[in-house]
Amino acid sequence: MAIMTEQEAKDLLTRALSFSQADECECNLAGNNQGNIRYARNTVSTAGEVSDVTLVVQSSFGQKVGTATINEFDDASLEKVVRRSEELARLAPDNPEFMSILGPQEYTDTPTWFDSTASVTPEQRAEFADASIQPSKANDLVAAGYLEETASFIAIMNSKGLFAYNTATEANFTVTIRTEDGKGSGWAARDYNDVSKLDTGAASAVAIKKATGSRDAREMEPGKYTVILEPAASSTLIGNMIGNMGQRQADEGRSFLSRKAKEGETLPEDAPRNRAGEKMFDERVTIFTDPAHPEVPSAPFGGDGAAVGKTVWIDKGVVKTLPNSRYWAKKTGMPYVPQPFTGGGIFGGNLPWVMEGGDKSLEDLIAGTRRGVLVTRTWYIRQVDPQSLLYTGLTRDGTFYIEDGEIKFPIKNFRFNESPIVMLNNIEELGKPVRINGSLVPPMKLRDFTFSSLSDAV
């Protein structure tokens, strides 16, 4: 059974720790049930389910650390994996950044689990796919999509008495719908913890409208334009910026938050090495994470078991908090700022962040625009300069020219060169945030967005 109850997980981890002979030992137990269905050219092509539980044991002797993994849980196997981690620890060199494991923590409850998602059946997946395929066929369009739902748990226990446990569910759906001649393309994505909120027919209707409306796109000269970025068009750029806010990167001069001396100036030895506390963005920019948020919840602890609460990273344009490791926090005399566990370690996975916005819908933003470009989505994004966070990428799946508050005609896709730092200083208006890729992101109306060249892709 991939999803263990809290008591089942506690019993298994207690048995594993009973075999430890190390100075310190910490065990991470994680499991998931995952189901999926994929379709292409209006036909289901694959479907499947995956179920697994894995135990990771970390043992340490002084500053020597070893880790071993197993997915068999009888006593002999548990003792074997603990001994293996101890063998590896004795062979390892000292870790100069070693930090002792944490003691007991107190956690808040977070709304990450929904029975509706954990109990999805293959028949339901087929119905979700059919609600996307049938309207595409009826409109002589071609649909390709993917639905995946996951139920998971994570439990952490160590020899200092820490025990953490959380369960979570998530459903992700994405669809691309194209005209039969390949000249029009639309796209939509939805993700929720509660699958009962998912309406693949409604999401596909958005993609159908984009596909039929983007056929026979006209060329426009590249340059700087007022743009309206749908949440899917900005979420990766802003997510990349948040992922580059680490205190150590900044202190070591490797990020856009590094404090640098002006030309001819030398920073005092005790001067701050990062830009925390500076106003770097439009005052309407506030970004935070909150494990208890009802729309984008997460585990209430980090990958090391540290309790995590609401953290404001940017407040009214001011950089307030930088994430760090326990080692770097101790070295610099700063508070330890962990991030929620997201499936791949303390800094792994998609961090579920929230960017505050306004009350207007995407349609309201379009109606209030005299001339501009509507961007459905961006992709193939690559970093050009880590110091300025300059990125390049392409628009796709529906780019449109706006005039006098209306979408006038589809336009060819662009390559863009832009930095989220510049974007968040060129805000004209923010709409109501919607969930995309696990985060809440508002549609944005921005001035002077840089399109550098045209792209023939649809």
Side-chain angles (χ1 to χ4, degrees):
M1 183 167 56
I3 307 300
M4 293 187 179
T5 65
E6 181 171 352
Q7 189 59 52
E8 289 170 337
K10 185 177 288 186
D11 291 345
L12 193 155
L13 292 173
T14 300
R15 280 197 291 131
L17 281 174
S18 70
F19 295 110
S20 175
Q21 298 173 359
D23 294 345
E24 294 184 352
C25 183
E26 184 164 278
C27 300
N28 288 39
L29 183 66
N32 70 79
N33 290 326
Q34 183 191 85
N36 64 75
I37 188 166
R38 185 189 303 275
Y39 55 98
R41 300 191 66 79
N42 294 336
T43 302
V44 172
S45 55
T46 61
E49 293 185 349
V50 177
S51 182
D52 194 18
V53 181
T54 302
L55 173 67
V56 180
V57 178
Q58 175 182 290
S59 297
S60 62
F61 295 93
Q63 292 182 265
K64 299 177 182 294
V65 181
T67 301
T69 302
I70 202 166
N71 60 1
E72 295 177 296
F73 305 121
D74 58 89
D75 282 352
S77 297
L78 292 178
E79 182 172 12
K80 177 182 176 183
V81 71
V82 171
R83 292 287 168 268
R84 181 60 177 158
S85 70
E86 292 172 349
E87 291 169 6
L88 292 171
R90 289 189 176 95
L91 292 170
D94 284 354
N95 178 359
E97 299 186 6
F98 173 82
M99 296 294 293
S100 180
I101 55 179
L102 294 167
Q105 306 279 300
E106 292 187 6
Y107 307 115
T108 56
D109 292 332
T110 59
T112 50
W113 177 271
F114 288 84
D115 289 339
S116 56
T117 309
S119 60
V120 169
T121 64
E123 290 77 12
Q124 285 177 286
R125 289 182 206 120
E127 291 170 2
F128 280 126
D130 194 56
S132 176
I133 292 171
Q134 292 307 325
S136 299
K137 284 183 176 178
N139 286 280
D140 296 324
L141 300 169
V142 182
Y146 183 69
L147 168 68
E148 176 183 287
E149 90 283 339
T150 304
S152 62
F153 81 96
I154 173 72
I156 304 171
M157 181 180 283
N158 70 30
S159 55
K160 282 190 174 179
L162 180 148
F163 178 70
Y165 175 84
N166 189 70
T167 56
T169 55
E170 188 168 304
N172 294 280
F173 170 71
T174 181
V175 61
T176 300
I177 297 178
R178 294 196 166 187
T179 56
E180 289 186 333
D181 60 8
K183 294 182 178 179
S185 180
W187 175 88
R190 300 288 186 272
D191 62 281
Y192 304 101
N193 292 84
D194 179 3
V195 77
S196 67
K197 296 181 178 179
L198 177 62
D199 185 340
T200 55
S204 298
V206 173
I208 288 171
K209 185 177 180 181
K210 297 270 189 183
T212 54
S214 63
R215 180 187 282 143
D216 299 325
R218 306 181 193 177
E219 285 190 4
M220 277 181 59
E221 284 295 315
K224 288 185 180 293
Y225 288 91
T226 293
V227 295
I228 295 177
L229 300 183
E230 296 192 22
S234 64
S235 62
T236 300
L237 288 166
I238 297 174
N240 286 347
M241 183 190 78
I242 295 170
N244 281 278
M245 288 182 66
Q247 184 201 339
R248 184 169 187 171
Q249 291 171 267
D251 291 347
E252 293 181 339
R254 296 183 284 118
S255 89
F256 72 104
L257 289 172
S258 300
R259 182 182 294 276
K260 296 180 177 63
K262 297 177 182 175
E263 190 171 344
E265 180 187 39
T266 302
L267 287 177
E269 188 65 30
D270 59 348
R273 299 295 166 180
N274 61 64
R275 300 179 67 181
E278 284 191 28
K279 185 175 184 302
M280 294 183 63
F281 308 99
D282 185 286
E283 64 183 12
R284 287 168 286 186
V285 177
T286 293
I287 296 175
F288 64 89
T289 52
D290 182 2
H293 195 285
E295 295 296 323
V296 288
S298 61
F301 49 81
D304 59 356
V308 177
K310 180 178 179 179
T311 306
V312 179
W313 307 102
I314 300 171
D315 185 25
K316 297 179 175 59
V318 177
V319 178
K320 300 294 289 186
T321 316
L322 305 183
N324 55 23
S325 66
R326 290 177 59 219
Y327 166 77
W328 199 252
K330 181 180 179 182
K331 180 181 175 69
T332 58
M334 297 297 292
Y336 174 40
V337 187
Q339 297 182 27
F341 177 82
T342 53
I346 187 168
F347 295 115
N350 292 323
L351 186 68
W353 48 274
V354 178
M355 180 173 170
E356 294 184 350
D359 297 325
K360 290 186 176 180
S361 66
L362 176 67
E363 290 71 25
D364 292 335
L365 296 185
I366 294 170
T369 300
R370 194 165 74 88
R371 287 192 180 87
V373 174
L374 172 65
V375 180
T376 299
R377 182 188 179 202
T378 55
W379 75 301
Y380 210 68
I381 297 170
R382 297 292 183 271
Q383 191 176 74
V384 177
D385 177 20
Q387 295 291 334
S388 62
L389 277 192
L390 179 65
Y391 288 93
T392 188
L394 297 163
T395 65
R396 70 176 298 179
D397 297 319
T399 305
F400 303 90
Y401 177 64
I402 303 167
E403 187 175 278
D404 296 331
E406 295 181 356
I407 292 176
K408 291 297 184 182
F409 50 81
I411 57 177
K412 278 196 168 185
N413 285 302
F414 290 109
R415 172 168 291 282
F416 65 86
N417 287 294
E418 195 55 271
S419 164
I421 304 170
V422 175
M423 287 168 49
L424 297 181
N425 275 290
N426 287 346
I427 293 172
E428 294 205 345
E429 203 164 10
L430 297 175
K432 185 177 181 179
V434 299
R435 177 165 169 162
I436 183 80
N437 295 330
S439 296
L440 277 183
V441 187
M444 304 177 189
K445 183 177 174 181
L446 311 171
R447 60 182 175 275
D448 294 335
F449 192 89
T450 305
F451 294 118
S452 55
S453 61
L454 289 172
S455 167
D456 288 329
V458 296

